Amino acid sequence: MIDPLADTSKKTIKRCSRFFAALPVLIVGIAAAVALPGQRSIGADNPAADHDALREKVGKRVQAWQPSKEERRLDEIGWAKDIRDALGLANQHHRPVFFFSYSGTTDRPQAMATQRC
């Protein structure tokens, strides 16, 4: 005879084991929620000063991320809007043309990596 309670007890044990596995995360989350509201943020008395400090910090980071002169060498390349202009400039200045054509699709994220140029 099949015991219908045996199947139910196995499901209950699985549910309990999942709960006890997640219990430490739950406890840490509750402890953090209780502890954080008591913290004061920097510049809470003067929000404008906090915004100015943030603006200055972001400005410095943006300046640090600007490309150096060596990294801007790509800007020295003479780009042409179409092949006719490129060939005309190449003939005029006795320079070669590097032709890059992207025939991929924008529908697939890896199109550039899988297409030929």
Side-chain angles (χ1 to χ4, degrees), residues 13 85 107:
I13 290 171
D85 289 345
D107 295 337

Side-chain angles (χ1 to χ4, degrees), residues 36-37 39 60 77 87 107 112-114:
L36 289 180
Q39 301 293 325
K60 286 180 182 177
I77 296 173
L87 290 173
D107 295 337
M112 187 67 175
T114 60

Side-chain angles (χ1 to χ4, degrees), residues 12-26:
T12 304
I13 290 171
K14 275 188 177 181
R15 283 188 202 131
C16 287
S17 64
R18 288 181 191 158
F19 173 76
F20 286 116
L23 190 60
V25 175
L26 182 66

